[in-house]
Amino acid sequence: MGQTGETGADTSCAASGSADKAGEAPTLTPFATGPQAVGRYRADIVVGAMKAPTGAYVDRDHVSRSSEASYDPLRERDPRDATERCAPACVG
């Protein structure tokens, strides 16, 4: 088991999470949006067809509030701490 941060998330350098095994294609869930639709949604934002302020969370075709967890400063600290711990191994 890897190290855990203040929120209980695995923050070790070897954390595998839900990474795909080598050679296996990722699996789409029934809720996944296809690449053509994603491109259309993004293009709508870029050309102004959908109004979204800078920094807005866009859920497919509408601006939405991000999850409460995304506003938790402790949750944001865990990945940063893990990156600072692992970065020397990646560049050294």
Side-chain angles (χ1 to χ4, degrees):
M1 180 187 273
Q3 298 174 346
T4 57
E6 293 180 48
T7 61
D10 187 343
T11 59
S12 67
C13 295
S16 60
S18 60
D20 295 320
K21 294 178 184 174
E24 289 185 14
T27 305
L28 291 178
T29 69
F31 307 108
T33 303
Q36 290 81 15
V38 170
R40 186 176 63 251
Y41 295 143
R42 287 187 176 189
D44 285 348
I45 295 167
V46 171
V47 300
M50 182 172 66
K51 301 297 180 201
T54 299
Y57 178 82
V58 179
D59 182 1
R60 293 176 213 123
D61 61 351
H62 63 280
V63 176
S64 180
R65 180 166 168 79
S66 185
S67 69
E68 288 302 317
S70 69
Y71 299 99
D72 180 358
L74 291 178
R75 180 179 172 267
E76 298 304 317
R77 189 178 317 160
D78 285 347
R80 183 190 67 219
D81 291 348
T83 301
E84 289 174 355
R85 206 174 34 255
C86 296
C90 293
V91 295

